[in-house]
Structure formats: C-alpha cells, structure tokens
Amino acid sequence: MRVLLLNPPGRELYVRDYFCSKTTKSNYHFHPVDLLALSGTLSLDHHVTVLDCIAEGLGPERARARIDVEGPDVVLSLVGSVSWEEDREFLRQQAGLGRRVFAIGDVLHENAEQRLAEEPWLEAILDDFTTADALHLLSGEEDEVLRATWRRADGSFVHRNEPRRGREHRLPRPRHELFPSRGYRFSFARRTPFATVLTDYGCPWPCTFCVISTLGHSTRPVEDVLEEVDGLCRRGTRELFVADQTFGVQRDRALELCAAFRERDLSWTAFTRPDLADDELLGAMRAAGCHTLIMGVESADDAVLDSCRKGYATDAARSAFERAHSHGLRTVGTFVVGLPDETEGSLERTLDFALELELDFMSINVAVPRFGTPFRRDVIAAGLVKHDELVMDQSGATVALPTKALTRAEVARFKRRMVRRFYLRPRWLWRRMRDVSGPREFIAQAREGFALLSRNA
Ligand code: SF4
C-alpha cells in the first residue's frame, strides 16, 4: 500500500508529537518522533512517504494538492488538542476521497472509543508508536495488535491496551531521509543539520501532570540506536536532539550510549532529571558532546513539587544546575505555571528561583489537563475544567485552567511577565552574546528570541 505519514497543516506553528501538542513557544519545530518511529516500521511492508505541512509551511490547499500527487491509500496523521478542529476537518476531507485515515495524538489518548464514535471518518487510533500495530491493522492481523482502537467493517469498535511487557523494544531504523531536509528548527542546536533521535519510550516516574508518565517505560537496544546514529553520520548529520524524556534512567545503558557517542564526534542536547544528574552522568554526557541539558524545575515550592509527585525537592534542582554548569553544560530549566494551588506569591517565588539558578534558558509550560493523566482527573473533579473541553495549549497562547486564586487571564499575564523578566536582563543578554559559536548560531538565537518575546509582549 501507499502510506502517507502526515503532520497536517495548521493556522499556527503547531508542535504535535509524543501525545503532547502546543503552539511553538518561540519558533522551534523539530521532527515528530511518532512519525519517525512509524516511518521505519511501515517501510517494512509498504511504500511510505512523509508530508510535514508545518515544517514545509503548507496551508490546507497546497497540502491537499501534494497529497493528491502522492495518491496514498492510507493517511496516518498526527493530531493535537491544540489544533483539533482544524485537524478533524482536514482529515475528514481526506477520508471523503476514499483514503483510510489512522491518527495518533494527545486528544485521542483517552476515551478512544468515544472519539471513534464521534468521528466516523477515522478508522483507527494508535496509542503507541513503537509497536507494529499499524502494520497489523493494515494486514488484517487484528489479534497481533497491542495498543490501539479501531473500527471494524461491521461498524463495531475494538479497543486493545495490552500492558507493556519487558523493558526493551525494537524499532526498524527510522527513515530520516523521508523527512524534509529544511523547515525543522531547534534553538539549542549548535551545528546544522540536526536530527531528532529517541532512544527510549515513556518515563518511569509518576509526575501527575505529565502524559509521558502514563506510557510506561522501555528502551531500545544500544546497537539499534547506533545503527540509526551511524546512518545519520553518513548523511552528514552530527547534531542530535536526543528526545528521551529522561536521559539516564538506566545508568549503565546511558554511560554505554555516551561512550559510543563520544567515538562519533557528535554534539547533542538532552533532557534529564535533577536527581539523576550526578557528576558521573554529567561528566560522561559532556565528554560525549552533550552541550545543552534540559531539566525540570517546575516550581520554587516544595509542596507543589510534592503534590505533583515529582520525587525531588528544590534543593535537588539547585545543586543539579550548579553541577551542570561546573561540567560546562548550557542549562535549560523547565517550569510549569498555573497549577491549582498557585498564587501570585508562589509565581513570584518561582520567578526568583529561575533567576537564582543562573539558567542559560528558561522554558515555561502552562499547566494543561493532559488526557490520561491523574492531574486531569483531579482538576475535572475540582470543577476547574470540563471533561469535554478538548482544546488546550501548554505554550500558554491560551490558558486552559484557572488556579484556585488566579483567573486564566492572570496566569497568562504572569507567564508573559516571567518570560520578559528572564530574557530582557542585560547581564543575561551579554552572556548569550559571548556564548554563541558564530554568526549562524547568533542569527538562529536572535530569531528565536524575537519570536519568543513577540509571543510574550
Ligand atoms: S520525570 Fe519528566 S518526563 Fe518523567 S514523568 Fe516526570 S515530568 Fe514526565
């Protein structure tokens, strides 16, 4: 069959992948990891093409024309709660042309049978992009499907959610070469081109607001990852965004990956947790070419961290950022604002904490009731959001939730103030100017900076 992997067009620069969706917070747009993983799997049996309308800047009309040229039998599309109304309209039209439509995304991560009942154009919902479920659905081997929901020819639905067995999964090599060579941007990349690589899936920690905590956790064998990385090196790509949500879950494996990366002259960015970031791991990452480390701070308030089941306190974040700086790593602290107990005072303390940590970059997410999370159940029970509100955006372009003390508008206003206060410090701007490696990085960062500030004016 001819299978098209699609990131559909959108009115905004949407980032849809890994059961999250948002408007880009500045100007970045990296390769969607779901479609990367599926590109390898589906290429085993089918003719696969990729159309990323966001990367290519295609509006609906040009996207339709491009799809018509490809003439796919099946469209497997990303969808997002940030763009749900646009996505369903576009895909409904594709189904109207006789194409089978499969989809994956945050808005379908909960109540999948209800979503299928509401959307007759949609044949199947995938709930894990590391399985061969799409292949099995296309070949009619329904018994083999692990985590998906689909519509049978007789109109009945099947929902399958087999528990993840084992700590490892294998993926055929993701087909990076099928993705556009231009249109992806990543503000932390220090070389071009860059590629997005996922060496594991999910996360074993239980943070209540995070959809990744609902996925379980498994890793790819190191040799599979290196086969993918070596393919990228042969194509001239040595800059990686390692999109694992927590690098270093399995210490020995992380050190093995670092040793292998070190031999390959790579430079890369990764996420980890403050309580994993000890000198051994940070030293190995830095020696292996990691230049930028992203860690969750979330809040300056230990009670807030506790209520979200983060599993570490602010002291752990403080010392982890100090260690990262001592190893020569650039640091990005991520924060979540607008949790139910948040007050203006707690947000002020979080801003002060962000300034105290001497971060190189600050990334603010606005709390959203992500589908499938305990946080969503709690805020629905508290009456802060309705269960049928499907549209949300963690970038803060719109705010999904009031707190007990602050309105949505107040949360949005404070978030914009935090961004301006952090990024418009002369001392910070001077540090950034000194840190850039050349004109290309200067221009990329200036673009990102202007885009970020214009979104937070
Ligand atoms: S550690 Fe990070 S990725 Fe893992 S569940 Fe918590 S917030 Fe999510």
Side-chain angles (χ1 to χ4, degrees):
M1 286 182 212
R2 297 180 71 81
V3 180
L4 177 77
L5 299 179
L6 177 69
N7 190 8
R11 282 193 290 269
E12 300 287 338
L13 197 49
Y14 297 129
V15 179
R16 316 172 176 100
D17 80 341
Y18 219 155
F19 305 102
C20 290
S21 64
K22 53 186 172 284
T23 313
T24 184
K25 289 178 213 159
S26 50
N27 196 32
Y28 63 79
H29 179 61
F30 41 82
H31 315 78
V33 291
D34 323 38
L35 297 190
L36 276 169
L38 289 162
S39 69
T41 305
L42 284 158
S43 291
L44 291 176
D45 289 353
H46 302 285
H47 175 82
V48 175
T49 50
V50 175
L51 183 62
D52 187 331
C53 300
I54 300 291
E56 295 197 42
L58 300 178
E61 216 165 289
R62 288 173 62 207
R64 276 192 286 275
R66 286 277 297 276
I67 298 172
D68 288 345
V69 170
E70 295 294 343
D73 306 296
V74 182
V75 175
L76 197 169
S77 183
L78 299 174
V79 293
S81 57
V82 71
S83 54
W84 180 226
E85 294 304 328
E86 293 171 70
D87 299 346
R88 63 207 289 261
E89 183 53 32
F90 188 85
L91 294 172
R92 185 171 25 223
Q93 289 170 6
Q94 290 301 310
L97 296 169
R99 293 170 182 145
R100 299 169 69 179
V101 177
F102 291 14
I104 184 166
D106 52 6
V107 71
L108 307 176
H109 186 54
E110 192 178 85
N111 297 334
E113 285 169 283
Q114 186 187 335
R115 296 282 95 79
L116 275 188
E118 290 166 355
E119 313 295 342
W121 49 270
L122 181 57
E123 178 177 333
I125 295 170
L126 301 182
D127 209 27
D128 184 338
F129 53 82
T130 66
T131 66
D133 288 348
L135 279 183
H136 296 313
L137 287 168
L138 292 178
S139 62
E141 297 162 305
E142 290 189 353
D143 290 348
E144 303 295 322
V145 174
L146 297 174
R147 285 176 283 282
T149 307
W150 67 98
R151 187 190 307 275
R152 284 193 168 131
D154 65 4
S156 61
F157 303 139
V158 185
H159 175 65
R160 191 80 48 75
N161 186 19
E162 292 291 321
R164 190 166 275 281
R165 292 208 180 82
R167 298 171 70 198
E168 205 170 63
H169 65 274
R170 301 204 69 170
L171 276 183
R173 183 183 65 79
R175 300 283 303 274
H176 291 267
E177 63 276 16
L178 298 179
F179 287 72
S181 54
R182 298 167 69 96
Y184 293 109
R185 296 173 296 277
F186 186 50
S187 34
F188 306 129
R190 303 211 87 159
R191 300 194 277 196
T192 53
F194 82 98
T196 308
V197 169
L198 192 62
T199 91
D200 70 359
Y201 179 77
C203 181
W205 276 274
C207 312
T208 57
F209 57 77
C210 177
V211 70
I212 307 293
S213 74
T214 69
L215 305 178
H217 180 249
S218 67
T219 57
R220 293 171 64 199
V222 169
E223 63 266 27
D224 286 10
V225 176
L226 295 181
E227 182 199 354
E228 179 181 0
V229 169
D230 287 340
L232 288 165
C233 290
R234 281 194 294 278
R235 288 164 43 84
T237 302
R238 292 183 179 274
E239 177 74 36
L240 303 181
F241 170 32
V242 178
D244 301 12
Q245 297 296 296
T246 303
F247 187 81
V249 172
Q250 294 168 14
R251 172 59 54 110
D252 291 349
R253 179 179 174 277
L255 296 177
E256 192 183 343
L257 273 173
C258 285
F261 283 8
R262 188 175 182 172
E263 288 168 5
R264 287 164 171 79
D265 180 31
L266 299 171
S267 69
W268 47 292
T269 297
F271 299 95
T272 195
R273 282 171 57 97
D275 54 351
L276 294 187
D278 62 11
D279 284 316
E280 182 187 36
L281 183 66
L282 296 179
M285 291 172 77
R286 185 73 192 104
C290 179
H291 49 72
T292 305
L293 185 66
I294 310 172
M295 292 191 283
V297 182
E298 319 304 5
S299 167
D301 192 331
D302 284 339
V304 171
L305 296 181
D306 236 14
S307 70
C308 301
R309 303 188 65 200
K310 283 301 293 184
Y312 54 78
T314 47
D315 276 352
R318 187 180 283 108
S319 49
F321 279 98
E322 279 170 14
R323 275 194 300 278
H325 290 139
S326 75
H327 283 276
L329 288 155
R330 281 194 311 191
T331 56
V332 186
T334 65
F335 295 81
V336 59
V337 302
L339 292 163
D341 292 320
E342 205 96 76
T343 61
E344 188 149 353
S346 70
L347 288 174
E348 285 286 357
R349 286 193 293 280
T350 297
L351 173 57
D352 289 344
F353 192 40
L355 299 176
E356 177 202 324
L357 291 175
E358 297 273 350
L359 303 170
D360 293 292
F361 300 93
M362 175 181 72
S363 173
I364 301 182
N365 298 303
V366 170
V368 291
R370 285 254 167 259
F371 297 94
T373 60
F375 179 67
R376 179 176 178 81
R377 288 195 291 277
D378 292 348
V379 293
I380 289 173
L384 293 172
V385 70
K386 297 198 183 79
H387 74 278
D388 56 354
E389 286 179 26
L390 301 182
V391 177
M392 61 184 89
D393 185 353
Q394 80 181 45
S395 77
T398 57
V399 173
L401 289 170
T403 76
K404 290 173 191 161
L406 300 170
T407 64
R408 289 174 165 90
E410 286 167 331
V411 172
R413 202 162 44 241
F414 203 92
K415 177 251 172 187
R416 291 196 296 270
R417 184 163 100 71
M418 287 175 82
V419 171
R420 292 196 305 271
R421 176 82 178 83
F422 183 89
Y423 283 104
L424 289 175
R425 289 173 295 155
R427 186 158 152 253
W428 182 85
L429 289 165
W430 173 238
R431 248 175 61 201
R432 288 274 53 77
M433 299 269 284
R434 279 187 322 179
D435 182 56
V436 291
S437 57
R440 191 205 60 77
E441 190 178 1
F442 177 78
I443 292 167
Q445 293 223 342
R447 265 203 200 121
E448 287 286 326
F450 282 124
L452 179 71
L453 290 170
S454 70
R455 288 173 191 275
N456 289 278

